[in-house]
Amino acid sequence: MSKLVIIANRLPVTITKREGKLALHPSTGGLATGLGSFYREKKGVWMGWPGMPSQNLRGMEGEVNSRLEELDCRPVFLTRHQVENFYHGFSNKTLWPLFHYFVQYTTFDNRLWEAYKKANRYYCKAALKVATEEDTIWIHDYQLLLLPGMIREKLPKATIGFFLHIPFPSFEIFRLLPWREEIMEGLLGADLIGFHTYDYVRHFLSSTRRLLGYDHNLGLITTKDRMVKVDTFPIGIDFLRFFRAAELPEVKNGIQRMKRRIGNRKMILSVDRLDYTKGILQRLDAFDLFLEKHPQYRDKVTLVLVAVPSRTKVDQYMQLKKEVDEHIGRINGRYGTLGWSPILYLYRSLPFTTLTALYNLAQVALVTPLRDGMNLVAKEYVACKRDNLGVLVLSEMAGAAREMGEAIMVNPYNPKEVSNALKTALEMGEEEQRERSLRMKERLRRYDVRRWAGEFLEKLTSIREIQERMEAKKLRGIALRHFLDEYSQSHKALLFLDYDGTLVPFADRPDKAQPDREIKAILQDLATTSQNRIVLVSGRTRETLDQWFGGLPVDMVAEHGVWLKEQNSPWELIEPLKQDWKGVIRPIMEVYVDRTPGALVEEKEFSLVWHYRRSEPELGHQRARELKDALLNITENLNLSILEGSRVIEVKPSNVNKGMAATRWLSQGSWDFIMAVGDDWTDEDLFDAMPPQAYSIKVGLSISRARFNMDSPYRVQGLLKEMVKVKRESYE
Ligand code: GDG
């Protein structure tokens, strides 16, 4: 039976050892609390590091294993060296700062990269002991970016999902990584890649396009051999757990205790791991400014600052701790009185009950990260409010800002804005507080962490189904045997072959597009081993086709069906075509050439083509969409069609296409074998024109009306060679 295997850097429980005895504690962090119960309900297992170097657990592995097994957890034991170089090292000194746009904190060290690769391989090895190809494997976060690819290599048929909990940075930042291609390839081993927000999706897709050349269609990337879906899944929280917390006696007591401690003052709450991305120093500066500018609030508010110790062995974190201490000391020194400290500083991890007591009591939550994948504290605060009173001040740099528009939004780098927001929050009327809170809360209730996980897994299943449908259409196995049998027995075969993207991959430079000797030899052999008729059906001009294939015994179709040529005959126009429309279309295209560096207009005899292969890809795509929009109305009236090819937009008369051109040959005789191969949507007309028994083959894995699919031009070349071979054998 298939099972769910969650793999994350950490387990949902952490092991500690005191006086030789092991103890398990729930791990902090959104993932652990959120999915902690979900995976068990699903009868899944969770793999990850138990939080202590393996040297400290020597001799106790058996006990660790069995205690964890009771919780359906499987440990991945990391040595001290691995913790140092993989976890504190590449993960937290390279990926974490870079992905949060802290380039100045990023270490680029090949030694750490090697440790990262090795650790990912180590997780892979551990995973292979637990997971099979039938299982659903869900990998989490930036520590394991290479793992999807590594598992895919060993379990090609496994269902693999990946979710990134931190931001995916813009290409301009991501490109700085010396190991960027390997990281992208690693991630693309997954079937589904999830991010918190659409911005991160956009950034990721842009990097795949620029670094690996993979385009996408609505987030569906076609890699060399598979389809990978990229989508947005904003993580939710365990809503009811927070919503109901106020009913717990410990929480009620906690609220009373805290009330006594801060008296009649209003509480402003700040909760984070002590991390430079969370903007704690900037927040303190803003609070300082607030007290300076609004003296009436002195002794009327208390900022409760909870900072959970984190990555205490990394230099920047040690430095940050020092600075936070100094800032707090300065502010408390400057404004504090005998009976009042402006900031109550708690540098430790609090029990859930204390944390939720604070959420309940706080009038304002000040959540101002400089960059944050999502930020769960913002969500938890709102969920805890039974009476819907309390105001959230939220950084626009947190992923949560995309969903929590009712919060007071701030730029965390602007102390004046944050200070003003604090004032607005403290003075907001109850009606408005309720209204804002309620709307956010309803969304949090509906889209909680279970729903988040459920939707991710559902999407993963659906992408697998699409892949399977594509797989089933691949020309291989029995279908391929039939194909070759039929072909070898045929006496009169008709083969339509597109060129660019079908017989050869798309070339990034025009001078690389020419057929090489091997392609020509294949065509020559194919044409001469039998009574075959080969028709090259291309969008290229007559001149180019003549120049490239003139000496071969093949027929040709140029400009997507405008010109036809049978061997030893001159080119013929498919039918008389008008040219006057070009005067209307060309100026529009030229406007878009001026606006898009690298774009150009090519005039073919009966069509106009706007190329943007050499433009900056994002801009090119954007402009292509705009151009298409601009052309749509006009082309309809002029009876023209717009073809969208690979980085081209072509306009040509509607009554001409590759399918119509093909009918010339189809009607010429009784063929006992017909095949049509093409890769883009101009070839769909060709497929449509084929009789039912014909083999229509789409190159690439996207949806098509063709009967079969093939992965790539290399496979097509292989198929053609095989056809030559079986034909020769049939004569022997
Ligand atoms: C990463 C991404 C993304 C905090 N202090 C205490 C405590 N916590 C809990 C909170 C919350 C979690 O830790 C922190 O989650 P965040 O989302 O705020 O931040 P990261 O740890 O950086 O998490 C982040 C998240 O992954 C999920 O995808 O949102 O952007 O960086 O749940 O409640 N819990 C307890 N005591 C504390 O003192 N018990």
Side-chain angles (χ1 to χ4, degrees):
M1 209 179 75
S2 74
K3 61 182 178 300
L4 172 65
V5 181
I6 290 187
I7 312 178
N9 171 52
R10 295 290 290 268
L11 286 172
V13 286
T14 300
I15 288 192
T16 55
K17 202 168 91 178
R18 200 175 269 175
E19 289 161 13
K21 283 216 159 80
L22 291 182
L24 301 185
H25 309 276
S27 306
T28 42
L31 182 65
T33 45
L35 281 188
S37 49
F38 179 88
Y39 82 100
R40 298 199 76 189
E41 283 162 25
K42 291 254 158 194
K43 308 247 171 301
V45 291
W46 189 314
M47 306 188 61
W49 180 46
M52 187 175 278
S54 55
Q55 285 91 342
N56 298 12
L57 294 169
R58 206 158 279 153
M60 304 178 93
E61 291 86 352
E63 189 187 344
V64 172
N65 277 326
S66 63
R67 300 253 327 245
L68 288 174
E69 197 148 334
E70 285 167 24
L71 301 170
D72 301 313
C73 288
R74 303 283 183 280
V76 180
F77 292 110
L78 298 179
T79 62
R80 213 167 280 137
H81 181 267
Q82 283 173 320
V83 174
E84 186 55 31
N85 295 294
F86 150 69
Y87 178 64
H88 292 306
F90 196 78
S91 301
N92 288 327
K93 288 186 185 158
T94 307
L95 295 174
W96 176 269
L98 191 73
F99 280 34
H100 285 89
Y101 295 71
F102 281 79
V103 179
Q104 72 279 23
Y105 286 179
T106 308
T107 304
F108 297 100
D109 179 346
N110 206 48
R111 213 176 37 90
L112 298 185
W113 163 244
E114 289 301 328
Y116 183 81
K117 275 201 292 196
K118 218 166 151 189
N120 271 250
R121 274 200 292 272
Y122 189 65
Y123 272 87
C124 178
K125 219 167 129 194
L128 294 175
K129 289 193 188 136
V130 174
T132 69
E133 284 202 319
E134 279 69 52
D135 295 336
T136 296
I137 303 168
W138 189 3
I139 301 166
H140 290 264
D141 229 359
Y142 64 101
Q143 300 90 351
L144 302 175
L145 299 176
L146 301 175
L147 190 56
M150 289 175 175
I151 297 186
R152 173 72 56 208
E153 215 183 297
K154 303 288 178 194
L155 304 176
K157 295 209 178 81
T159 302
I160 305 178
F162 180 89
F163 189 84
L164 187 70
H165 290 263
I166 66 173
F168 193 89
S170 92
F171 173 67
E172 287 307 325
I173 297 284
F174 184 72
R175 72 188 309 177
L176 303 178
L177 265 182
W179 314 279
R180 57 200 187 181
E181 281 90 0
E182 277 164 277
I183 289 182
M184 292 309 270
E185 295 280 12
L187 277 168
L188 288 172
D191 300 298
L192 173 64
I193 304 175
F195 298 94
H196 287 307
T197 73
Y198 180 63
D199 284 333
Y200 310 155
V201 166
R202 223 164 31 78
H203 294 155
F204 178 77
L205 289 173
S206 152
S207 284
T208 36
R209 182 184 283 150
R210 285 155 188 249
L211 295 171
L212 306 179
Y214 296 141
D215 269 322
H216 73 97
N217 186 6
L218 300 174
L220 207 53
I221 303 175
T222 307
T223 69
K224 272 186 226 114
D225 51 0
R226 289 165 41 254
M227 281 164 111
V228 178
K229 174 80 180 164
V230 181
D231 213 337
T232 312
F233 304 89
I235 195 170
I237 55 168
D238 188 347
F239 178 85
L240 288 179
R241 183 160 178 255
F242 285 93
F243 183 68
R244 290 189 181 139
E247 293 164 10
L248 301 171
E250 299 99 301
V251 176
K252 285 185 183 151
N253 291 340
I255 294 176
Q256 291 316 320
R257 264 203 318 278
M258 192 51 78
K259 264 190 183 158
R260 281 198 292 279
R261 189 141 177 208
I262 62 164
N264 288 332
R265 299 180 192 97
K266 290 193 170 184
M267 187 210 285
I268 302 165
L269 179 64
S270 147
V271 179
D272 326 78
R273 280 182 306 100
L274 191 80
D275 195 297
Y276 50 82
T277 61
K278 303 288 180 181
I280 300 172
L281 292 175
Q282 290 75 358
R283 195 177 307 158
L284 287 169
D285 286 340
F287 185 59
D288 190 352
L289 184 69
F290 170 77
L291 292 178
E292 183 191 313
K293 291 274 177 243
H294 308 291
Q296 71 275 24
Y297 277 104
R298 295 183 196 164
D299 204 12
K300 298 285 184 299
V301 295
T302 300
L303 171 63
V304 176
L305 193 111
V306 182
V308 181
S310 177
R311 304 170 196 167
T312 46
K313 299 215 170 77
V314 179
D315 287 348
Q316 281 104 12
Y317 289 73
M318 292 187 214
Q319 179 62 24
L320 176 67
K321 165 79 175 59
K322 217 168 123 236
E323 288 180 45
V324 168
D325 289 352
E326 283 165 10
H327 269 56
I328 293 175
R330 209 172 47 237
I331 297 172
N332 277 348
R334 187 165 164 203
Y335 304 101
T337 59
L338 267 181
W340 173 63
S341 277
I343 303 169
L344 184 60
Y345 179 33
L346 305 171
Y347 177 61
R348 56 177 173 271
S349 176
L350 307 175
F352 173 76
T353 47
T354 314
L355 180 71
T356 47
L358 289 174
Y359 283 152
N360 264 285
L361 203 54
Q363 264 83 7
V364 181
L366 198 50
V367 183
T368 56
L370 304 177
R371 219 31 98 159
D372 213 335
M374 174 53 79
N375 195 296
L376 297 176
V377 169
K379 295 189 167 183
E380 293 164 2
Y381 172 70
V382 174
C384 271
K385 293 292 189 193
R386 296 299 280 248
D387 55 6
N388 297 314
L389 291 179
V391 183
L392 173 65
V393 176
L394 179 60
S395 160
E396 58 192 57
M397 314 301 173
R402 298 281 163 276
E403 293 162 78
M404 307 186 86
E406 292 81 4
I408 301 184
M409 233 40 104
V410 291
N411 172 356
Y413 287 98
N414 183 345
K416 208 164 139 204
E417 197 180 315
V418 177
S419 154
N420 289 343
L422 256 184
K423 186 161 180 295
T424 311
L426 289 164
E427 292 170 8
M428 189 180 283
E430 292 200 346
E431 183 91 354
E432 187 176 349
Q433 292 185 36
R434 277 198 202 96
E435 233 170 70
R436 287 175 182 245
S437 251
L438 251 173
R439 267 191 241 143
M440 291 191 272
K441 210 151 110 188
E442 281 322 301
R443 278 201 298 272
L444 294 175
R445 190 195 296 274
R446 276 200 309 275
Y447 200 90
D448 68 355
V449 71
R450 267 156 232 265
R451 170 104 181 260
W452 168 77
E455 283 194 4
F456 184 92
L457 293 174
E458 241 171 62
K459 194 47 142 282
L460 184 53
T461 310
S462 78
I463 177 71
R464 291 292 291 171
E465 281 164 10
I466 296 177
Q467 287 171 345
E468 272 157 27
R469 278 208 297 277
M470 300 314 279
E471 282 292 306
K473 276 182 73 176
K474 276 191 186 168
L475 185 58
R476 60 173 184 198
I478 297 177
L480 178 61
R481 272 209 301 283
H482 277 302
F483 172 96
L484 291 172
D485 281 352
E486 240 181 83
Y487 175 69
S488 68
Q489 285 158 24
S490 69
H491 301 289
K492 221 177 149 211
L494 175 60
L495 316 177
F496 294 104
L497 305 172
D498 169 50
Y499 178 65
D500 297 87
T502 298
L503 288 185
V504 292
F506 266 105
D508 47 8
R509 290 204 337 246
D511 55 316
K512 286 207 234 148
Q514 290 191 31
D516 58 14
R517 225 185 272 169
E518 189 177 0
I519 283 291
K520 289 190 180 174
I522 294 174
L523 292 172
Q524 177 79 34
D525 288 348
L526 203 57
T528 47
T529 41
S530 174
Q531 298 284 312
N532 289 341
R533 212 47 191 280
I534 297 179
V535 189
L536 289 174
V537 189
S538 170
R540 296 213 174 241
T541 60
R542 288 180 294 167
E543 292 73 24
T544 307
L545 294 184
D546 270 339
Q547 200 187 337
W548 288 356
F549 302 104
L552 291 173
V554 295
D555 297 350
M556 295 188 266
V557 172
E559 294 192 26
H560 297 299
V562 173
W563 293 100
L564 318 180
K565 181 181 189 308
E566 295 190 42
Q567 256 182 79
N568 309 321
S569 312
W571 284 97
E572 281 173 61
L573 200 56
I574 191 164
E575 59 179 65
L577 292 171
K578 285 196 186 149
Q579 294 274 28
D580 48 356
W581 58 270
K582 282 185 176 169
V584 183
I585 301 298
R586 192 174 182 114
I588 303 176
M589 285 187 164
E590 270 162 6
V591 169
Y592 283 83
V593 167
D594 294 342
R595 296 178 58 202
T596 320
L600 57 96
V601 177
E602 178 194 6
E603 179 155 354
K604 295 189 188 170
E605 227 153 336
F606 291 96
S607 67
L608 283 174
V609 194
W610 188 79
H611 291 264
Y612 61 98
R613 183 169 301 282
R614 294 203 181 169
S615 312
E616 193 277 319
E618 303 286 306
L619 180 71
H621 272 270
Q622 170 71 18
R623 290 280 187 267
R625 271 202 300 272
E626 291 170 15
L627 171 62
K628 203 175 151 198
D629 258 7
L631 289 173
L632 264 174
N633 284 331
I634 308 165
T635 46
E636 218 165 88
N637 296 336
L638 294 172
N639 206 16
L640 300 170
S641 29
I642 304 174
L643 308 183
E644 241 183 308
S646 170
R647 308 207 180 144
V648 294
I649 297 253
E650 178 155 5
V651 176
K652 64 169 198 42
S654 296
N655 50 346
V656 175
N657 60 46
K658 288 183 176 179
M660 276 200 21
T663 51
R664 153 86 61 111
W665 282 270
L666 289 168
S667 60
Q668 269 179 17
S670 47
W671 308 101
D672 55 3
F673 185 93
I674 302 174
M675 155 186 184
V677 199
D679 72 303
D680 70 24
W681 76 270
T682 64
D683 298 307
E684 295 294 313
D685 291 322
L686 181 64
F687 302 146
D688 273 346
M690 293 300 122
Q693 76 280 10
Y695 283 91
S696 50
I697 304 170
K698 159 97 178 173
V699 182
L701 296 173
S702 46
I703 315 276
S704 161
R705 292 195 289 273
R707 284 177 61 205
F708 297 97
N709 278 73
M710 288 199 102
D711 288 333
S712 67
Y714 303 111
R715 299 255 171 182
V716 177
Q717 290 182 17
L719 178 74
L720 299 181
K721 283 190 209 159
E722 192 68 14
M723 288 166 73
V724 171
K725 194 170 140 230
V726 293
K727 202 58 162 177
R728 282 191 178 137
E729 283 167 3
S730 74
Y731 293 138
E732 281 163 8

